[in-house]
Short mmCIF file of all heavy atoms in Angstrom, two decimals:
data_model
loop_
_atom_site.label_atom_id
_atom_site.label_comp_id
_atom_site.label_asym_id
_atom_site.label_seq_id
_atom_site.Cartn_x
_atom_site.Cartn_y
_atom_site.Cartn_z
N VAL V 788 6.70 30.22 10.49
CA VAL V 788 7.99 30.66 10.55
C VAL V 788 8.06 32.14 10.18
O VAL V 788 7.24 32.54 9.29
CB VAL V 788 9.02 29.89 9.72
CG1 VAL V 788 8.69 29.96 8.29
CG2 VAL V 788 10.47 30.31 9.89
N GLN V 789 8.95 33.02 10.75
CA GLN V 789 9.09 34.41 10.28
C GLN V 789 9.82 34.56 8.98
O GLN V 789 10.64 33.79 8.68
CB GLN V 789 9.82 35.14 11.44
CG GLN V 789 9.05 35.35 12.80
CD GLN V 789 9.60 36.28 13.61
OE1 GLN V 789 9.43 37.56 13.35
NE2 GLN V 789 10.25 35.89 14.68
N PRO V 790 9.54 35.56 8.30
CA PRO V 790 10.23 35.86 7.05
C PRO V 790 11.78 35.88 7.35
O PRO V 790 12.16 36.37 8.34
CB PRO V 790 9.78 37.24 6.70
CG PRO V 790 8.47 37.41 7.16
CD PRO V 790 8.47 36.74 8.53
N GLY V 791 12.54 35.21 6.39
CA GLY V 791 13.99 35.17 6.67
C GLY V 791 14.39 33.94 7.36
O GLY V 791 15.61 33.57 7.35
N GLY V 792 13.43 33.29 7.85
CA GLY V 792 13.67 31.88 8.76
C GLY V 792 13.81 30.86 7.78
O GLY V 792 13.73 30.77 6.58
N SER V 793 14.04 29.58 8.40
CA SER V 793 14.31 28.42 7.78
C SER V 793 13.34 27.30 8.26
O SER V 793 12.90 27.27 9.37
CB SER V 793 15.74 27.98 7.89
OG SER V 793 16.57 28.85 7.38
N LEU V 794 13.15 26.22 7.50
CA LEU V 794 12.18 25.10 7.82
C LEU V 794 12.62 23.91 6.91
O LEU V 794 12.99 24.12 5.76
CB LEU V 794 10.75 25.53 7.57
CG LEU V 794 9.71 24.78 8.31
CD1 LEU V 794 9.94 25.05 9.94
CD2 LEU V 794 8.32 25.40 7.94
N GLY V 795 12.63 22.81 7.50
CA GLY V 795 12.94 21.60 6.78
C GLY V 795 11.79 20.65 6.68
O GLY V 795 11.14 20.42 7.68
N LEU V 796 11.38 20.21 5.51
CA LEU V 796 10.26 19.28 5.21
C LEU V 796 10.81 17.89 4.97
O LEU V 796 11.84 17.78 4.41
CB LEU V 796 9.36 19.77 4.09
CG LEU V 796 8.91 21.28 4.19
CD1 LEU V 796 8.03 21.49 3.05
CD2 LEU V 796 8.25 21.60 5.43
N SER V 797 9.96 16.99 5.38
CA SER V 797 10.28 15.50 4.96
C SER V 797 9.06 15.00 4.43
O SER V 797 7.95 15.36 4.64
CB SER V 797 10.64 14.84 6.41
OG SER V 797 11.83 15.32 6.95
N CYS V 798 9.36 13.88 3.62
CA CYS V 798 8.40 13.04 2.90
C CYS V 798 8.74 11.72 3.09
O CYS V 798 9.71 11.22 2.52
CB CYS V 798 8.23 13.52 1.48
SG CYS V 798 7.22 12.38 0.50
N ALA V 799 8.07 11.01 3.93
CA ALA V 799 8.29 9.46 4.11
C ALA V 799 7.47 8.78 3.20
O ALA V 799 6.18 8.82 3.11
CB ALA V 799 7.87 9.20 5.62
N ALA V 800 8.06 7.92 2.35
CA ALA V 800 7.47 7.10 1.38
C ALA V 800 7.56 5.60 1.68
O ALA V 800 8.56 5.12 2.25
CB ALA V 800 8.17 7.29 -0.02
N SER V 801 6.51 4.99 1.39
CA SER V 801 6.47 3.51 1.65
C SER V 801 5.51 2.89 0.56
O SER V 801 4.67 3.51 -0.06
CB SER V 801 5.97 3.13 3.03
OG SER V 801 4.77 3.79 3.26
N GLY V 802 5.69 1.51 0.39
CA GLY V 802 4.88 0.71 -0.41
C GLY V 802 5.24 0.73 -1.94
O GLY V 802 4.55 0.08 -2.71
N PHE V 803 6.45 1.18 -2.17
CA PHE V 803 7.00 1.11 -3.45
C PHE V 803 8.44 1.21 -3.43
O PHE V 803 9.02 1.56 -2.39
CB PHE V 803 6.32 2.19 -4.49
CG PHE V 803 6.60 3.51 -4.18
CD1 PHE V 803 7.79 4.25 -4.81
CD2 PHE V 803 6.04 4.32 -3.26
CE1 PHE V 803 8.11 5.54 -4.48
CE2 PHE V 803 6.29 5.57 -2.82
CZ PHE V 803 7.31 6.15 -3.45
N THR V 804 9.15 0.94 -4.54
CA THR V 804 10.61 1.00 -4.64
C THR V 804 11.05 2.55 -4.69
O THR V 804 11.13 2.92 -5.87
CB THR V 804 11.16 0.12 -5.76
OG1 THR V 804 10.73 -1.20 -5.41
CG2 THR V 804 12.67 0.09 -5.56
N PHE V 805 11.21 3.10 -3.74
CA PHE V 805 11.48 4.68 -3.57
C PHE V 805 12.66 4.99 -4.54
O PHE V 805 12.54 6.01 -5.28
CB PHE V 805 11.78 4.96 -2.23
CG PHE V 805 12.10 6.33 -1.94
CD1 PHE V 805 11.06 7.27 -2.08
CD2 PHE V 805 13.34 6.86 -1.69
CE1 PHE V 805 11.34 8.69 -1.87
CE2 PHE V 805 13.76 8.22 -1.52
CZ PHE V 805 12.61 9.11 -1.56
N SER V 806 13.66 4.18 -4.64
CA SER V 806 14.82 4.52 -5.32
C SER V 806 14.67 4.45 -6.90
O SER V 806 15.54 5.02 -7.57
CB SER V 806 16.08 3.70 -4.95
OG SER V 806 15.87 2.34 -5.17
N SER V 807 13.57 3.89 -7.26
CA SER V 807 13.26 3.75 -8.67
C SER V 807 12.69 4.99 -9.34
O SER V 807 12.36 5.04 -10.59
CB SER V 807 12.37 2.57 -8.99
OG SER V 807 13.17 1.34 -8.74
N TYR V 808 12.40 6.06 -8.52
CA TYR V 808 11.39 7.05 -9.07
C TYR V 808 12.10 8.41 -8.81
O TYR V 808 12.73 8.64 -7.70
CB TYR V 808 10.12 7.10 -8.39
CG TYR V 808 9.22 6.00 -8.69
CD1 TYR V 808 9.25 4.72 -8.05
CD2 TYR V 808 8.40 6.12 -9.74
CE1 TYR V 808 8.34 3.72 -8.38
CE2 TYR V 808 7.44 5.01 -10.02
CZ TYR V 808 7.47 3.92 -9.42
OH TYR V 808 6.71 2.83 -9.75
N TRP V 809 11.99 9.27 -9.90
CA TRP V 809 12.32 10.58 -9.56
C TRP V 809 11.24 11.19 -8.63
O TRP V 809 10.04 10.71 -8.58
CB TRP V 809 12.20 11.55 -10.93
CG TRP V 809 13.35 11.40 -11.84
CD1 TRP V 809 13.90 10.11 -12.25
CD2 TRP V 809 14.05 12.38 -12.43
NE1 TRP V 809 14.85 10.44 -13.20
CE2 TRP V 809 14.93 11.83 -13.24
CE3 TRP V 809 13.92 13.83 -12.47
CZ2 TRP V 809 15.84 12.61 -14.06
CZ3 TRP V 809 14.75 14.49 -13.25
CH2 TRP V 809 15.72 13.88 -14.08
N MET V 810 11.61 12.10 -7.76
CA MET V 810 10.68 12.65 -6.78
C MET V 810 10.54 14.25 -6.91
O MET V 810 11.50 14.86 -7.37
CB MET V 810 11.04 12.30 -5.37
CG MET V 810 11.12 10.83 -4.97
SD MET V 810 9.37 10.13 -5.08
CE MET V 810 8.60 10.82 -3.69
N TYR V 811 9.34 14.55 -6.53
CA TYR V 811 8.99 16.10 -6.74
C TYR V 811 8.53 16.78 -5.44
O TYR V 811 7.86 16.09 -4.61
CB TYR V 811 7.99 16.24 -7.83
CG TYR V 811 8.51 15.89 -9.24
CD1 TYR V 811 8.73 14.56 -9.59
CD2 TYR V 811 8.61 16.91 -10.17
CE1 TYR V 811 9.12 14.36 -10.80
CE2 TYR V 811 9.03 16.67 -11.42
CZ TYR V 811 9.36 15.34 -11.81
OH TYR V 811 9.76 15.05 -13.03
N TRP V 812 8.77 18.09 -5.39
CA TRP V 812 7.91 18.89 -4.38
C TRP V 812 7.09 19.89 -5.16
O TRP V 812 7.64 20.53 -6.10
CB TRP V 812 8.87 19.64 -3.47
CG TRP V 812 9.36 18.81 -2.47
CD1 TRP V 812 10.78 18.33 -2.35
CD2 TRP V 812 8.82 18.38 -1.11
NE1 TRP V 812 10.97 17.59 -1.22
CE2 TRP V 812 9.94 17.72 -0.37
CE3 TRP V 812 7.55 18.53 -0.49
CZ2 TRP V 812 9.65 17.17 0.80
CZ3 TRP V 812 7.28 18.03 0.59
CH2 TRP V 812 8.29 17.24 1.35
#
Side-chain angles (χ1 to χ4, degrees):
V788 64
Q789 294 194 70
S793 297
L794 208 57
L796 306 184
S797 297
C798 170
S801 61
F803 67 98
T804 305
F805 180 70
S806 60
S807 293
Y808 293 87
W809 286 49
M810 295 296 294
Y811 290 72
W812 285 102

